[in-house]
Amino acid sequence: MVGMTSTPRPSNLDPEIAARLKRSPDGLLPAIAQQYDTGEVLMLGWMDDEALHRTLTTGRCTYWSRSRQEYWVKGDTSGHFQWVRSVALDCDADTVLVKVDQVGAACHTGDRTCFDADVLVADAPAPGQ
């Protein structure tokens, strides 16, 4: 299985928050990063309990890298920081929305967002038009 081992990593996440989360089988939650003032969707990353704890307590987005099997903090290597403005769970408690103040590019390719380069449909008419 790509992702985590079957044994979860230790976490300092508040147990009341942890009890509410509905994680994937590998213990992860998708985390959507959104620009707080424009609503622009920047990227999707993955968080486990400890990454969420670090995000909530440091004010910087921390993610779990499924390929490298390690935590990474947005901006530590690129200088393109995500400063946390708010964090919310969706109605099913299986996705995290992190509203951030993005400094620089959000995508590892250098694009502003991870959704700039491969648009499948643009300016489609609204249903019924």
Side-chain angles (χ1 to χ4, degrees):
M1 175 185 311
V2 173
M4 299 174 39
T5 62
S6 59
T7 304
R9 286 176 295 283
S11 175
N12 292 310
L13 184 63
D14 180 326
E16 290 183 18
I17 295 172
R20 296 171 53 200
L21 303 178
K22 295 180 186 165
R23 301 162 197 80
S24 68
D26 55 1
L28 299 174
L29 295 166
I32 301 166
Q34 180 182 40
Q35 179 63 34
Y36 82 97
D37 55 352
T38 66
E40 178 182 32
V41 177
L42 300 169
M43 61 172 278
L44 181 136
W46 295 93
M47 291 184 181
D48 66 356
D49 288 18
E50 183 59 19
L52 179 56
H53 166 72
R54 293 178 189 187
T55 297
L56 293 171
T57 59
T58 66
R60 294 186 54 205
C61 285
T62 300
Y63 299 98
W64 175 255
S65 171
R66 296 178 300 165
S67 60
R68 295 187 315 270
Q69 296 286 292
E70 65 184 15
Y71 295 105
W72 59 279
V73 179
K74 186 68 174 171
D76 273 0
T77 58
S78 67
H80 300 165
F81 298 99
Q82 289 178 343
W83 301 105
V84 175
R85 299 297 294 261
S86 68
V87 180
L89 289 174
D90 75 336
C91 58
D92 295 321
D94 64 0
T95 303
V96 178
L97 176 63
V98 186
K99 292 187 179 182
V100 301
D101 189 5
Q102 177 71 47
V103 176
C107 187
H108 71 281
T109 65
D111 285 340
R112 170 73 181 161
T113 84
C114 293
F115 301 100
D116 285 346
D118 197 6
V119 177
L120 301 178
V121 174
D123 301 322
Q129 292 184 356

